[in-house]
Amino acid sequence: ILGGFLETVRELELTPEERDRYLQLMADQSDRMLRLVQDLLTLSSLESSPRPGGERVAMGGLLLKLKADAEALSGGRHVITLEAEEVDVLGAESELVSAFGNLVSNAVRYTPAGGHIRIEWRRRGSSAEFSVTDDGIGIAPAHLPRLTERFYRDDLGRSRETGGTGLGLAIVKHALSRHQAQLDIASKPGEGSRFSALFPPARLSG
């Protein structure tokens, strides 16, 4: 695609406005390819690295940064709330940031302006659950079992519009499974979605 744009810019007589438009399209394609390469490298690292050890991850600070990043991505278009209990996770902070960040950014991207996104971290008996709930566009039931497959997209055009690579949920699944956490997805078209991860007692501290 980039080659075609470059050929167009080189060989055709374009107005300044047309040239700027093609240059912006080229920049967008370059950014998309960079994100794809980064996601592929992340997924490869998750698949080949040893399972995370017992390093304590301070969830309080992690969650506050997650909310701040979500607010920056939203740009004031959504109401974003955070409710968290005091319990930490034993594992790899970078992997948890990647998993949780993907879930939160998806919620922002697929929730129309004015929507509500709720981030929660709560005890569930001797376990603990991280969840992201939105009142966005939702996902049809037929797509739910395949969402974590590589490059699977329930709506290709919509994924392109939001800059998705089709690898985000595959990364989420791998990162969580390396912490023995179970990913659960519940969604209804037009009503929103809830993505949650239940961490076992062996992965908790505090």
Side-chain angles (χ1 to χ4, degrees):
I1 296 176
L2 276 177
F5 287 144
L6 285 169
E7 184 176 348
T8 298
V9 171
R10 275 201 315 262
E11 298 184 1
L12 296 184
E13 293 186 8
L14 302 172
T15 66
E17 292 78 12
E18 289 173 331
R19 181 177 296 272
D20 288 344
R21 183 169 64 86
Y22 278 111
L23 289 174
Q24 184 59 55
L25 289 171
M26 291 163 61
D28 292 342
Q29 288 296 326
S30 177
D31 289 344
R32 185 172 291 113
M33 286 191 292
L34 177 61
R35 289 193 297 271
L36 177 59
V37 170
Q38 290 172 335
D39 280 355
L40 285 169
L41 290 173
T42 298
L43 196 55
S44 175
S45 176
L46 289 172
E47 292 176 336
S48 60
S49 299
R51 178 165 288 184
E55 178 185 352
R56 183 167 181 162
V57 178
M59 289 294 291
L62 187 157
L63 293 168
L64 287 174
K65 185 179 185 305
L66 200 66
K67 182 174 183 286
D69 289 346
E71 290 171 338
L73 180 61
S74 169
R77 294 178 296 114
H78 308 89
V79 176
I80 301 174
T81 59
L82 169 64
E83 299 178 27
E85 297 187 14
E86 293 185 9
V87 56
D88 292 335
V89 173
L90 302 175
E93 181 172 357
S94 61
E95 295 183 17
L96 295 176
V97 168
S98 179
F100 297 161
N102 268 295
L103 294 180
V104 173
S105 63
N106 281 350
V108 172
R109 290 188 174 101
Y110 292 116
T111 300
H116 183 201
I117 297 162
R118 186 169 69 253
I119 305 168
E120 294 181 279
W121 173 242
R122 297 188 177 280
R123 294 182 183 273
R124 293 285 185 258
S126 59
S127 302
E129 182 186 64
F130 173 84
S131 65
V132 181
T133 306
D134 65 63
D135 53 9
I137 58 178
I139 305 164
H143 296 296
L144 295 179
R146 301 190 60 191
L147 286 180
T148 58
E149 294 180 12
R150 297 185 190 191
F151 300 113
Y152 184 81
R153 296 173 176 179
D154 63 313
D155 187 320
L156 182 59
R158 188 175 65 208
S159 294
R160 283 177 176 164
E161 289 175 4
T162 59
T165 64
L167 292 171
L169 289 177
I171 290 172
V172 170
K173 181 180 179 181
H174 275 76
L176 293 177
S177 66
R178 284 166 54 79
H179 289 79
Q180 294 83 49
Q182 181 68 41
L183 176 65
D184 183 68
I185 306 172
S187 185
K188 289 185 179 181
E191 296 184 18
S193 305
R194 183 177 189 270
F195 289 75
S196 61
L198 189 66
F199 288 80
R203 281 289 175 181
L204 304 179
S205 175

